[in-house]
Amino acid sequence: MNILDKPYTTRTGIKGLSSEQAEELAREFGANTLAKKNKANPVAVFLGQFKDVMVIILLAATAVSVFLGEVYDAATIITIVLINAIIGFTQEYKTGKTLAALENMAAPTAKVYRDGEAVKLPAAELVPGDVIIIEAGDRIPADASVITSRAMQVEESILTGESNANYKESAGFIDTDNSIGKENILYMGTTAVKGTAEAQVVATGLKTQMGKISGMLKDIDETETPLQKRLTELGKVIAIICLAVCIIVTAAGIIRGEPVLDMLMTGITIAIAAIPEGLPATVTIALALAVRRMLRKNALVHKLHSVETLGCAEVICTDKTGTVTENKMTVTEIYADGEVYSVSGTGYKQAGEITKNGIRLKVKNEKPLYETLICGALCENSRIDRKKGADFDAFGDPTETAILIAAAKGGVYTDVLEKETRRVDELPFESETRFMATLYRRGGVNNCYHTAYLKGAADVILDRCTCKLTENGIEPLTAYDKRKISMAVDGMAASALRVLALAKKDTDSLRDMNSGCIFLGLVGMIDPPRAEAKQAVKLCRSAQVKTVMITGDHKDTAAAVARSAGIMRGGDLILTGSELAVMSDEELQNLAPKVSVYARVSPADKLRIVRAYKANGKTVAMTGDGVNDAPAVKEADIGVAMGITGTDVTKQAADLVLLDDNFATLVSAVAEGRGIYGNIRKFVRYLLSCNIGEVLTMFLGIIMGMPMVLLPTQILLVNLATDGLPAVALGVEPNDPDDMKKPPRKASDSFFSGGLMGKIIFRGILIGLLTLGSFSAVLSLSGDITTARTAALLTLVLSQLMHVFECKSEKKNIFTVSYKNNPKLILAVLSSLIIIALAIFFPPAQLIFGTTALVWSELLIALGFAVIAPILQCIFK
């Protein structure tokens, strides 16, 4: 059944769809609802947290520890695993709210003609062919072709990203092409702000533009962040080390004639010692602390691992409206009587003035300018409220409020004017006429007169004018004058300003406004770039991060804003949606590195753009606020939503929400991302070096036929008490100021790039050999195994606590690093020293850990061996 065959209802009473027709169409087209992703079972989501390689290794270690009777060790490991699982479950479960938020944006009810009567129905019951009634304030329930319109204006920024309300008119036929940007189509989820209309539904559910976006979100799969990939890589390395240690120890013992089962158990015990149990918890804590720091800077992180991914960002794809710009139309230029006036201040700020050639004016003394502002203040249906010491509160059409604010900066206020005059008639803006007019009456009963004020497209207003207002009064408007005004219009348009002309006419009726009007002036306005955005773009460039602007706005406007913000420079290209439509994915991928601006693009285009940069091996961040941005935000490596102007859909699809909508906040988040990755490398270096030292101590001791160098409880003490606190403190090292002067690291870079693995192995060997040296020296001196083990334990801990300061920098050594910039690390080291001192000298602790108090000579031996490590590290670098 073709929906064009359906009779539609109009105000003349022609019958709409019957209930029977609607039921038949509902079976054919389905419910008017958006895409629903199968809800994840909470149990399945929770169990999914245990798939990570590192977690599997820890679970295996737990099982073996229980089998060997090491209950405390097992309990500690399982506690760490559960904490990480709970955190991961909480973060993942939150993402399931994205589609739910999108569904909430659809209208819950709709006014529709059924069986010849206007009724209110659930929006889900609408079908193609239904005729709906739309009034100001309504949310559009489906995509529909306009049948009749009375000054209907619709705010479509959630789809287009642009702040202007769009006028809607009938095309004279039922248009089934519901592509974005059409004047005769109403789109699901957008909001009617003025007027009334009747329209025939042409698309429901997933066939609407909102539905297509919903489908895109459903089809985008979650991918691992670079950090998650690196941690998986690290887990595999640790698994290999554990297996290798177990095999080598077992084989060596068997060769020496030891019982096979005993050596197998010993090998497994040492392998467990190789596992840095505290690593997952340390990573989680470091990321959580970074999230807290970023929140203080107005950046809210949804997913913990996204913090580090920000540091990899190579391309930031940003929306224009509300992100690079203020999303507040602002009059910047006025033309009257051949003079050009500048208007300072942006957005809704009261601070600002009108100047000519840089000189502040008394506007009332400039008659044409003053009359232009009066016309702008009276030819409108919006309002602004003044508050002392605060910004204006604006209500209504953004274009009109921009003119009202410009008038206020010149001392012209609508509320003051309306005390002297009264509106008696109005011609609303129509897309056919392209102007609006208001009629005002002034004076008393005996001396009243009427004035009509007009506002609209410059060419339309000029055609209706026969005179102009000058400083000398009203003069004829010549052909030369019209050419001069048209040149002024072209000049404003070349600067990406939206231009409106204003005029007036002394008349007591609005019936004939086609001629006899007096031209007053022009106003040029723009949605201005944020001052902070300009600085942020500059900082991104210094960090070698490419900024790309993506917008649904006109090509020339987009280019002007991009140049003003510093995004577009000489040699950069700009592509439009129509050019993208005829371009293959491969062509786009090849051209993308040269493009700085994409204009007139659709949500599907945004997805293609993000994917093109990702196909080039770039780590992509995508900022956005409207629903139209949500699919690309979710597809990007780092999705960034605006907290103030952003929709719930985009916020929940994003990894990061900028609570102040400030582009500069994103730059500080990138710096934080670079810093946290550096800190993770620091404590991974520290923990692995320490664990290698512990394993090597035990392994070489067995190979050399020594008694057990360290008891399992002593190893547990080192891993959980003395390793843990310093590692967490390394995670809060302050960021290096030079981080934002370096190119971003590649997401594919190995966790151990830059020679990190060599540093880890070398230091681990030193720790192991020196711990054995301390054990042997004290054993030969005292002849007591407990004393020797205690000395070895002290050497191991001290060498590790010295190493933690070396891990502050990959370039400096223990003698050149700064000790003052991280007080938490000093406190952590002092805490660890107190713990080891208690373990050695506190009698109850001695019983638990198998230690004994050391005399001065034994203490000096333990300390001496520990000091050798950083000295050798400096020598061999």
Side-chain angles (χ1 to χ4, degrees), residues 604-630:
D605 291 331
K606 294 184 179 185
L607 262 181
R608 286 187 66 202
I609 293 163
V610 170
R611 286 170 176 165
Y613 284 110
K614 290 177 73 174
N616 284 330
K618 302 295 184 183
T619 300
V620 184
M622 170 74 191
T623 72
D625 50 10
V627 173
N628 62 320
D629 299 323

Side-chain angles (χ1 to χ4, degrees), residues 316 535-537 539-540 543 662-672 740:
I316 296 177
Q535 184 63 25
V537 170
L539 289 173
C540 283
N662 193 332
F663 195 69
T665 302
L666 178 56
V667 179
S668 69
V670 170
E672 192 66 52
M740 291 300 284

Side-chain angles (χ1 to χ4, degrees), residues 687-710:
L687 289 173
L688 291 188
S689 295
C690 294
N691 277 66
I692 288 174
E694 293 163 24
V695 170
L696 202 61
T697 298
M698 302 292 290
F699 174 64
L700 291 179
I702 291 171
I703 295 295
M704 296 167 66
M706 292 180 176
M708 183 75 74
V709 179
L710 293 172

Side-chain angles (χ1 to χ4, degrees), residues 402-443:
I403 296 174
L404 290 174
I405 290 171
K409 290 174 181 176
V412 177
Y413 301 98
T414 304
D415 54 350
V416 175
L417 293 172
E418 288 182 341
K419 291 177 181 178
E420 306 167 358
T421 183
R422 184 167 68 88
R423 183 182 297 194
V424 293
D425 200 2
E426 174 188 343
L427 282 178
F429 182 95
E430 303 281 353
S431 58
E432 290 88 354
T433 61
R434 295 166 60 212
F435 79 94
M436 76 169 289
T438 54
L439 184 65
Y440 280 85
R441 185 174 68 189
R442 296 175 184 269

Side-chain angles (χ1 to χ4, degrees), residues 336-338 367-368 468-476 481 518-520:
D337 192 21
K367 188 173 177 60
K468 63 178 181 178
L469 181 65
T470 71
E471 286 293 341
N472 300 320
I474 298 173
E475 298 179 359
D481 292 329
I518 302 167
F519 178 80
L520 299 176

